[in-house]
Amino acid sequence: MKHGAPGPRQGAPPEVAITDTSPPTPPAADRPLSDFHRGLLLGILIGEGSFGGDGRQPQITLRMHTRHQRLFERLLELVPGSKLYGPYDHGGRRYFQWMARGQVLRDTLLPMLDALPLEDTDEYVYERYQEMKLRYSL
């Protein structure tokens, strides 16, 4: 062994740079969503969500195959107070239905959606969202 720089310790693992690529831990109910989780939530709602209601109260609904169960579980963590129903079997399809309405819709999702440039991003989603807000006086 050369003098100067110390050599590796015996039994020490080789140095490897590890980059954590896992998504951040979901926030607790008292902490705001990270940018990652906000983007995940809003992207799913824009791409797959339904904006409407049952005639009495507004709701945002997301219906997807049961193979997305882990994603639905994450949504329940990200939006406390939202609900997951199912699994359902209908028309040869097996799916879950996630729903946000009432206080969680008004206090959590509407402010996030209102802050987005929905009109410039997806006209159809923007129109459905505005129709829901108008119909239910949100």
Side-chain angles (χ1 to χ4, degrees), residues 109-127:
L109 294 178
L110 291 182
M112 281 193 268
L113 288 163
D114 285 343
L116 293 176
L118 276 181
E119 188 172 17
D120 298 332
T121 305
D122 189 312
E123 287 180 42
Y124 178 74
V125 170
Y126 175 76
E127 289 169 8

Side-chain angles (χ1 to χ4, degrees), residues 8-21:
R9 292 178 291 147
Q10 278 195 342
E15 290 187 33
V16 177
I18 298 175
T19 303
D20 184 6
T21 58

Side-chain angles (χ1 to χ4, degrees), residues 41-104:
L41 172 63
L42 295 173
I44 291 167
L45 294 180
I46 290 169
E48 298 289 331
S50 174
F51 301 87
D54 63 6
R56 293 180 305 157
Q57 67 176 329
Q59 64 194 34
I60 297 177
T61 306
L62 182 64
R63 189 179 297 167
M64 293 192 314
H65 194 276
T66 55
R67 68 178 153 255
H68 299 290
Q69 181 172 348
R70 186 175 294 172
L71 177 60
F72 280 116
E73 291 166 355
R74 178 58 54 101
L75 290 175
L76 291 172
E77 294 171 355
L78 296 176
V79 187
S82 63
K83 305 286 184 199
L84 183 62
Y85 300 97
Y88 297 109
D89 290 297
H90 182 71
R93 186 173 178 225
R94 190 161 171 80
Y95 63 91
F96 284 110
Q97 180 169 296
W98 175 88
M99 192 175 296
R101 57 183 164 194
Q103 185 175 356
V104 69

Side-chain angles (χ1 to χ4, degrees), residues 23-34:
T25 304
D30 61 342
R31 287 193 320 245
L33 294 177
S34 68

